[in-house]
């Protein structure tokens, strides 16, 4: 099979499309014939060496974490999944060296979810990781009907899904993006728009029940001014303070801070599918690339200018 792999950290030029033997599913794993994958910034950040101390199983590594495809084999101890099933999900890019930019990927059964026939494989691959992240952000920030929500980075992969999920939950959403993205963000259902390039964060309105920082780029010193008392700030990129300071500060402080620790979640995937069926959610795909041109998609992602998602057509 073909797989996009790298043999050292730090150089994007090390990415190579290689012929390698297909993996065999171990106990508790499912072998998926990947039809589509998609690009997430964490994939190329790991390859660049930014998280090398968190990465398990060494080198070489195959790029990619999202997938949608068809089950070909199941390992021992796996129930409820059969060859021929359409599935979607994502692997942990820190723990799994065998990523999804490949013809086949051996995936832990807990990370494989059934995909209804009416949901397109390409859309599912684009949505999997960013969708689960957006649901987790909304859960951490307790977004519900009547919540006033600020989504920072509303035109990106996670952000554009978070806007739609918050609206589906009945929230009133203020979205931040650059001026050229105003029309796109409005089409997602945002009620108000902030051009972050023209309006410094110190001038933004406050009193939000939830701030979903999807870039993330909001300094800690700004959180209190943006949030109502008892409000929740949730970020896609936890830092040391998330683990060392916030558990204590959240008990006594006027606001609550949370960081996403993403894990497979059947309720999250069910919420995403439910929103799609009710026509409340669409994952915007900016562009599609064949596996042979996946490095172009990665370079586009590195520009930080992607509107929605980039998908990789594997088969």
């Amino acid at each position: 099979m073909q797989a996009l792999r790298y043999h050292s950290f730090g150089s994007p030029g090390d990415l190579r499309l290689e012929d390698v033997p297909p993996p065999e599913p171990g106990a508790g794993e499912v072998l998926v014939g990947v039809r589509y994958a998609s690009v997430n910034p964490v994939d190329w950040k790991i390859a660049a060496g930014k998280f090398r101390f968190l990465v398990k199983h060494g080198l070489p590594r195959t790029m990619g974490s999202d997938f949608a495809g068809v089950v070909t084999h199941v390992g021992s101890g796996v129930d409820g999944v059969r060859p021929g099933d359409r599935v979607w999900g994502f692997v942990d890019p820190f723990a799994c060296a065998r990523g999804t930019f490949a013809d086949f990927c051996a995936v832990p059964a807990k990370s494989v979810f059934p995909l209804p026939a009416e949901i397109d494989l390409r859309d599912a691959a684009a949505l999997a990781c960013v969708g689960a992240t957006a649901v987790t952000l909304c859960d951490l920030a307790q977004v519900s009907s009547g919540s006033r929500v600020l989504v920072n980075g509303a035109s990106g992969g996670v952000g554009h899904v978070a806007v739609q999920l918050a609206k589906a939950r009945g929230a009133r959403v203020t979205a931040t993006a650059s001026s050229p993205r105003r029309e796109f963000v409005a089409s997602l259902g945002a009620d108000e728009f902030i051009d972050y390039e023209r309006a410094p964060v110190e001038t933004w309105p406050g009193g939000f029940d939830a701030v979903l920082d999807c870039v993330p780029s909001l300094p800690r010193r700004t959180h209190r001014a943006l949030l109502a008392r008892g409000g929740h700030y949730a970020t896609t990129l936890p830092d040391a303070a998330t683990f060392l300071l916030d558990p204590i500060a959240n008990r006594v402080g006027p606001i609550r801070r949370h960081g996403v620790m993403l894990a497979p979640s059947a309720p999250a995937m069910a919420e995403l599918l439910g929103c799609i069926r009710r026509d409340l959610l669409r994952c915007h795909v900016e562009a599609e690339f064949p596996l042979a041109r996946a490095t172009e998609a990665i370079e586009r992602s590195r520009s930080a200018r992607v509107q929605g998602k980039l998908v990789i057509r594997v088969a």
Side-chain angles (χ1 to χ4, degrees), residues 4-18 43-52 59 61 63 295 298-299 302:
L4 187 69
R5 305 206 301 171
Y6 54 96
H7 294 254
S8 64
F9 293 114
S11 173
D14 188 49
L15 290 171
R16 299 195 296 270
L17 195 59
E18 300 177 338
D43 300 324
W44 51 260
K45 288 179 180 179
I46 289 174
K50 292 191 176 183
F51 306 111
R52 68 178 65 195
L59 296 163
R61 303 182 74 83
M63 290 287 290
T295 54
I298 292 166
E299 285 305 307
R302 287 167 62 91

Side-chain angles (χ1 to χ4, degrees), residues 154-168:
S155 65
V158 175
H160 89 288
V161 177
V163 169
Q164 296 173 83
L165 281 174
K167 290 295 296 181

